Amino acid sequence: MEKRPLIAVALSALILVVYYGVFYKPPVPPPSTQVISKPETTTSLMTPVETRGSSAETSPSKPEILLPQITTPVETPLIHSEISSKGGLPFQWLLKKYFVKPDQKGGNVDLLKDGLAKTPLQLFLLPDQPPISISYPPPEAKEMVFQYRGDTSTLGVEQQLDFSEKDYTLKVALRIQNKGGAPQAVRPGIRIELEQTQESSKGFFVFKEQTHYKTPLYRIGTKIRHLTNVKKMGAYQEEQGEIVWAGIEDQYFFRLMVARNLSPHNRVSYGSRDGKVFSDLQYANDLLSPGQIKEYEFLLYLGPKDPGLLAKVGNVQLDKAIDYGWFGFLALPILHLLKFFESFLKNWGLAIIALTLLIKLILNPLTRKSMKSMKGMQELQPQLQKVREKYKDDRERLNLETMNLFRAHKVNPMGGCLPMLLQMPIYIALYKVLYNATELYHAPFFGFYHDLSAPDPYFIFPILLGIFMVLQQKLTPSVGDPAQAKMMMIMPVVFSLFMLFLPLGLVLYIFVNTLVTVLQQWMHQKDISVLGWFKGKMANRA
């Protein structure tokens, strides 16, 4: 038998053994976010949270045992979520219908993207104790059951998650049992904590793009409170009462925690510090007797500011969480009209134009009355000036003669302002609707305008707005000092500079409104009414 082949095989085997045994280091596989876990896998206590609104810090007395974090994906028609074995709650919440950038680019919006240490949502049994630890559920389950594994055997806790297939809600159910021989205090709560990630604002001086912060909000009894002033908010604030829901909002989206156990002793706490903002909802104190079992439930809503969807979430009037200002009673009809126009125009920009034209048409009689009164005041100015000069030393007689002059010429000095004041609530409500409308988020207008919620990148509409505001000033009858009227001509310039960095949807509405006002003023000067013009056109056709 030939020995050389045998020697060659032996030498090759020896080289392979030495190489793999001494020199070769196997590559570490990348961490997976969809590891299939075993039901008996347990985790240690999570990193504890300070009780006064601070971020998580590791406790020096109880160092964390580093066991692997396991995640499980959950899919519904509206969201993709990832559930962490540290806390048993989502750390990712992707909205399938909303994207980071226009034209469905940049990936889906993640409402928990700015969470801290993968624990943006935290469930706790007492505010001054660490969030609870759990064992992991079967993978890919719509209803997940977690078991509590803490440093004490006196409490048995079962947590169940139930994801909705129809909306953006998640039900969190707790079942707590006192397994010890002495009474045990509990005060279950849930917290959401996020970072304020803000891009640098475009603009100059005071003419800058608006900064959109994440801000806390809550409902206590029938009152809804929006904590919009982040800069003046303390690190920790708390209020006790019938807290119905609490959470964090931004311009277009909500992250809300809804209470299912109502009590006048519920609590809400919130705060902002070091670029972070948090809000939590706590139930009333409970003292569990030995062997006693008690159940609690929270409902989370993580989704858009859609009044239709929010109104269907329980019986808690969640749709009123949208801040429409003082004239909110006008906002919903306006929003329904906007959606109606979009349903057949198939473009939100065209829907804004159609809605603005309809409102201007409805208010046209008031506008004409205002213009008529202002024109009458302008024609009366020479006579008013003579009366002022004649009775300049007799104030009482001056007022009497002025009123007689108004009465003789049937001119109401408030006639120019009152119709405008009656229109203001409608315009303010329309402004608030457009500001909060999630429908405008990354909604295109024409081919070169991809986002009605972003400023006009070409400054076309702000410049056109300034031009038509100048025309409006020139067509408006002047009833005051001519020098003052000249000073007012600078207002269109200042207003246009503010419009440079407002959302295009809002600028479009203001531009169309100004354009139609200029047209109305021109028609009034020519003594042409909309109804008369329309009848004339119809007569010519006949």
Side-chain angles (χ1 to χ4, degrees), residues 269-536:
S269 61
Y270 55 90
S272 176
R273 189 178 71 177
D274 300 330
K276 302 165 188 173
V277 61
F278 85 94
S279 176
D280 65 33
L281 172 64
Q282 307 166 26
Y283 285 145
N285 285 317
D286 264 335
L287 192 64
L288 301 185
S289 304
Q292 183 180 358
I293 298 174
K294 191 156 186 179
E295 295 181 350
Y296 304 87
E297 187 178 300
F298 298 92
L299 186 69
L300 303 182
Y301 177 88
L302 306 169
K305 290 183 175 179
D306 186 325
L309 283 175
L310 291 164
K312 297 176 183 177
V313 179
N315 189 24
V316 293
Q317 298 180 319
L318 211 57
D319 53 318
K320 293 188 177 180
I322 304 175
D323 184 14
Y324 289 125
W326 291 349
F327 306 108
F329 63 95
L330 295 172
L332 284 179
I334 289 173
L335 181 59
H336 290 318
L337 278 173
L338 185 65
K339 290 183 176 181
F340 168 74
F341 284 123
E342 194 277 336
S343 66
F344 61 87
L345 293 174
K346 305 301 180 184
N347 184 284
W348 287 106
L350 294 178
I352 291 172
I353 294 174
L355 178 63
T356 309
L357 291 176
L358 176 63
I359 292 175
K360 291 294 289 184
L361 184 63
I362 293 172
L363 297 176
N364 184 61
L366 286 175
T367 305
R368 283 185 60 83
K369 188 175 181 180
S370 174
M371 292 177 181
K372 184 178 179 180
S373 181
M374 292 176 70
K375 188 176 181 180
M377 285 290 293
Q378 185 185 36
E379 292 172 351
L380 208 59
Q381 285 302 306
Q383 297 182 56
L384 285 171
Q385 186 61 33
K386 289 180 181 179
V387 170
R388 292 191 193 102
E389 291 175 358
K390 185 175 181 179
Y391 301 105
K392 61 182 178 180
D393 297 326
D394 189 347
R395 193 167 193 81
E396 187 175 338
R397 184 69 184 273
L398 174 62
N399 291 335
L400 179 62
E401 293 297 327
T402 301
M403 293 305 297
N404 289 335
L405 193 61
F406 287 149
R407 193 178 297 111
H409 291 82
K410 296 180 180 180
V411 172
N412 183 357
M414 295 298 295
C417 300
L418 188 58
M420 295 302 296
L421 290 175
L422 293 175
Q423 297 176 53
M424 286 305 294
I426 296 176
Y427 291 135
I428 293 172
L430 179 57
Y431 177 93
K432 295 294 285 186
V433 165
L434 296 179
Y435 181 83
N436 288 286
T438 310
E439 290 82 3
L440 301 186
Y441 182 75
H442 295 338
F445 182 29
F446 287 121
F448 47 88
Y449 284 120
H450 302 281
D451 188 2
L452 284 169
S453 67
D456 184 345
Y458 313 107
F459 304 138
I460 294 175
F461 281 99
I463 292 173
L464 287 175
L465 175 61
I467 293 172
F468 278 93
M469 286 188 73
V470 171
L471 290 175
Q472 183 181 0
Q473 289 278 2
K474 288 185 174 295
L475 290 172
T476 301
S478 176
V479 295
D481 185 5
Q484 185 180 3
K486 290 181 180 179
M487 285 294 296
M488 289 296 293
M489 294 301 293
I490 198 174
M491 291 302 296
V493 178
V494 176
F495 201 73
S496 294
L497 289 175
F498 277 115
M499 294 297 108
L500 290 176
F501 303 102
L502 277 182
L504 176 60
L506 290 174
V507 178
L508 181 63
Y509 142 63
I510 297 172
F511 166 70
V512 174
N513 185 71
T514 305
L515 174 63
V516 176
T517 301
V518 169
L519 181 61
Q520 286 175 318
Q521 288 176 321
W522 176 81
M523 293 178 72
H524 181 71
Q525 286 189 355
K526 300 295 182 180
D527 200 22
I528 303 172
S529 69
V530 175
L531 184 60
W533 176 84
F534 182 73
K535 286 181 178 179

Side-chain angles (χ1 to χ4, degrees), residues 238-280:
E238 184 179 88
E239 185 167 357
Q240 178 176 310
E242 192 176 64
I243 308 299
V244 184
W245 44 258
I248 294 175
E249 66 176 326
D250 56 34
Q251 185 177 3
Y252 296 113
F253 300 101
F254 280 135
R255 304 153 184 88
L256 297 174
M257 304 163 288
V258 182
R260 291 309 197 194
N261 299 71
L262 290 180
S263 165
H265 302 292
N266 284 355
R267 298 187 188 186
V268 61
S269 61
Y270 55 90
S272 176
R273 189 178 71 177
D274 300 330
K276 302 165 188 173
V277 61
F278 85 94
S279 176
D280 65 33

